Amino acid sequence: MADYHDRKRLDAAARAQRKREDEAAALANQLKAQAARAELERQNAAAKREQDREDFLAASQIKEQRRAQRTQRLRARLSGVRRWLAEHVVDLLIYPLALASAVLAIPAMARSGVAIYGSSSGVVLPVLSELGMWAFAIAVQVRRRKNPDVSVWALQVGIVVFAAYGVVLNFLDGARHGLDAGLVMALASVAGVIAHQLVTASARRTRAEAVT
């Protein structure tokens, strides 16, 4: 009977020992799993920080490249504007004269055309009195830029004819208010195109001299 109780006690002790060992093993496995998860999370967080850093650097590099490109384009535009201004400085001085002539003559001729023809169709009179000579003047300039040595006498005749036409019409319109007013209007009508042609003629001689 004593042996039975001893075996039973030993079996209970053995079961308790196995249970403790199983629990210890389970706890160890749980701790290992937790440690593995923690390490994996740490590695993932480190990888994410590294990826974020690389993305930030890449985005900063792209922004810097775009900023440099914008700066380069702006400098190119400014350089182009400076070149254009340097090449057209004379035009910038002369064309305001043409604009002044147009501002003075075109409205006056439009009013005169309406009064003469008795209808709104008279507003196109400045096309003949003012724009005609300018059409020939610009044609002279364009042709000489394409070929400095080309003959443009026919176009210049057109300038003279239409300029004379404009002078007469502006003089007659202004003469209703007196001879002085007629002369002022006549001269104002052709002042811009005269200045333009003086510059165009000068530019042609300069090119011809450069060729020779």
Side-chain angles (χ1 to χ4, degrees):
M1 190 68 178
D3 293 339
Y4 172 76
H5 288 295
D6 289 339
R7 285 196 303 273
K8 192 174 182 180
R9 188 170 56 253
L10 290 174
D11 290 341
R15 287 195 298 272
Q17 180 64 27
R18 286 195 299 272
K19 183 179 180 180
R20 287 192 296 270
E21 290 176 354
D22 292 341
E23 290 177 347
L27 179 61
N29 291 333
Q30 183 179 3
L31 292 176
K32 287 181 181 179
Q34 291 177 349
R37 287 195 299 270
E39 177 63 19
L40 181 60
E41 291 176 355
R42 187 192 66 79
Q43 292 177 356
N44 290 338
K48 186 177 185 305
R49 287 195 299 271
E50 180 64 21
Q51 185 63 45
D52 291 343
R53 188 183 71 84
E54 292 178 356
D55 291 343
F56 175 77
L57 292 176
S60 299
Q61 186 177 10
I62 292 174
K63 289 181 179 179
E64 186 63 27
Q65 290 176 349
R66 290 176 178 175
R67 187 181 301 111
Q69 291 173 353
R70 288 195 298 268
T71 301
Q72 185 177 4
R73 287 195 297 267
L74 178 59
R75 289 177 178 174
R77 292 192 187 100
L78 291 176
S79 178
V81 170
R82 285 194 294 268
R83 285 196 303 270
W84 188 90
L85 291 175
E87 294 172 358
H88 296 83
V89 62
V90 176
D91 292 337
L92 294 174
L93 295 174
I94 294 302
Y95 281 110
L97 300 179
L99 180 61
S101 292
V103 169
L104 292 172
I106 291 178
M109 284 293 95
R111 289 192 299 270
S112 179
V114 171
I116 292 172
Y117 288 96
S119 67
S120 59
S121 62
V123 297
V124 300
L125 181 61
V127 174
L128 298 176
S129 64
E130 310 304 323
L131 300 184
M133 59 183 172
W134 277 107
F136 282 96
I138 298 301
V140 169
Q141 184 177 17
V142 170
R143 184 164 295 182
R144 279 181 171 171
R145 283 181 177 176
K146 291 181 178 179
N147 187 354
D149 296 322
V150 69
S151 176
V152 292
W153 67 267
L155 296 175
Q156 290 174 325
V157 170
I159 296 174
V160 172
V161 170
F162 278 88
Y165 181 66
V167 165
V168 171
L169 291 179
N170 278 274
F171 176 79
L172 293 175
D173 184 54
R176 294 179 298 175
H177 306 285
L179 180 60
D180 292 344
L183 290 174
V184 168
M185 289 188 63
L187 293 176
S189 174
V190 294
V193 78
I194 290 174
H196 178 270
Q197 286 304 292
L198 289 174
V199 171
T200 302
S202 176
R204 181 177 185 273
R205 286 196 299 270
T206 300
R207 292 191 186 97
E209 290 171 359
V211 172
T212 56

